[in-house]
Amino acid sequence: MSILLTHAYHLYEDHKEQSIMRPYVPLGLLYISAYLNQYQVENFLYDSTFYSPEEQLSYISEKQPKVVAIYTNLMTKINVIKLIKILKSDARYGYPKIILGGPDITYNTSNYLHAGADVLVIGEGEQTTLELYLAIVQNTSLHLVNGIAFIENKEVIKTPPRTKIKDLSTLPLPNRAAVPIDKYLNIWKTYHGKSSMTVSTQRGCPYTCKWCSTAVYGQSYRRRPAHLVASELAMLKQAYQPDSIWFVDDVFTVSHKWLKNFHREVIKQDAIIPFECITRAERLNDEVLQLLKEIGCFRIWIGAESGSQKIIDAMDRRVDVDVVKSAIQKTNMLGMETGTFIMVGYPGEDEKDIKDTITYLKAANPTHFTITIAYPIKGTSLYSEIQDQITVQPNWETSTDRDIDFKRTYNRKFYTYAVKRIVNEVNFHKELLKGQHKNLWQSFKLKTKSILAYTGMKLYK
Ligand code: B12
Ligand code: SF4
């Protein structure tokens, strides 16, 4: 009897990731594996990141697990469904029960069950996976397990929601020994000269940005005690010597009290590792920035999503664009890198808003910025708002939420050009800021691309 935990992300298929090569371990699976270990439940973890679907299948065939449990997000969905269909139809794999978990299943319950999954674990996975696995092997009623969905007599049954884990200190550390950590660290070293690992200190986010998926942890805020996070860092430092850490938390500085404790603990436990984190501008101030810097923070991602207050408000982002701008500028001045996220094509956005975004990015001057064309994730308020304006809704099993399109202010192609316009115009400005060190040829290329993109915008407006 055993459970095999896996996912369906294969790096060799992800051409975008191959150009950046910043792979991270599937932390959710590692948490579940550690939890099962704590209860002496035999589990195998197959991290498919560096392997092909064929290699994954051959591993499943060799292990013949009773249960195959697969992590699912909106991008890996297509591969997950392919995997389910193979496991359901080929005797070589012993017809295991198939459990799915992760962020994409919460609001696509019926679809995943009809695609062949036996049971879905909704929300936080540790306790539910343990109880569900025991129910399967002991053949007891699934109705007694909270937080799951399954089909019975052709009907989708959802059991009462699982209570969120209140005290995160009860969780064991993620089972990093179950994945090829060296491969991850070596790829980082080879492509970036320094390695990086992830750590999670927080579950849930109390904010309500309309496009953001809160499908797993909900609108909650729970935090691991600062001294335990510091001990985890000390352990990582000793075991793997990572050059940096990415805290995968939604809003790292949401609690200043926690941050002060964490500051004290990492110093006390000699656990400082350079790190980057994501936070909100209004949860930063001079003191917080100083604390972050003192404990090794080298990069802060501060989201505004737009330079237009009108769009920020439409997103229910609850932040002032000038506060974001000033937070980025202050962080830059303290010698830490900054990053920001931009979304274009949000409902109601027009050309003036895009112009405001360019002006904002030029003034804030973050070290890095990423741009996404807005898409509606099932279960978000944005999805509910645009539901009756969907213009493109491809087959669910073979497409992702990113392929859904809805009625926007302009033609979809307008936004592809808008992204190019923002990138080139802002990077042109960055060249100018270099003063006498600027590269004239590079500046000329960027400005030309920016003008061409602007022409494209006008064409598709
Ligand atoms: C780190 C991260 C990334 C990293 C992933 C690195 C890695 N290998 O893990 C990177 C940067 C690569 C990334 C990319 C993307 N991400 Co991302 N990411 C996150 C983030 C910030 C943290 C994830 C994490 O580690 N959490 C901590 C762990 C412990 O939580 P967890 O994974 O949710 O696991 C728990 C449960 O889900 C469940 N569970 C997890 N796995 C399994 C498996 C089984 C079998 C079971 C039963 C249960 C179960 O139990 C776990 C413990 O309770 C989350 C936001 C968040 N706060 O969670 C977004 C998030 C997961 N990402 C999201 C998105 C949209 C993306 C992208 C599609 C973005 C894009 N480019 O458009 C891509 C997809 C990439 C891909 N091809 O898979 C969405 C997912 C929405 C959805 N419905 O799928 C999230 C929720 C962000 C959001 N709020 O909208 N992401
Ligand atoms: S975008 Fe960030 S702040 Fe907003 S709800 Fe999502 S995690 Fe929270």
Side-chain angles (χ1 to χ4, degrees), residues 29 78 82 92 112 133 149 162 171 193 224 236 298 312 335 342 451:
L29 287 172
I78 301 172
K82 280 188 203 158
R92 276 178 295 176
Y112 277 111
Y133 176 69
R162 165 78 42 188
L171 288 174
R224 294 171 55 207
L236 292 177
F298 68 92
I312 293 175
I342 296 293
I451 293 168

Side-chain angles (χ1 to χ4, degrees), residues 24 32 71 73-75 104 125-126 212-213 217 250 375 402:
Y24 285 110
I32 293 176
Y71 169 76
N73 70 27
L74 66 86
M75 290 298 276
D104 206 45
E126 287 88 351
C212 177
S213 168
Y217 299 120
D250 289 335
Y375 63 94
R402 292 182 65 135

Side-chain angles (χ1 to χ4, degrees), residues 44-57:
F44 304 106
L45 203 153
Y46 189 83
D47 178 4
S48 57
T49 306
F50 305 111
Y51 303 101
S52 66
E54 293 72 28
E55 287 168 306
Q56 183 178 33
L57 283 168

Side-chain angles (χ1 to χ4, degrees), residues 431-440:
E431 270 304 316
L432 292 189
L433 288 179
K434 288 183 187 162
Q436 59 176 343
H437 298 294
K438 68 176 176 281
N439 176 337
L440 283 177

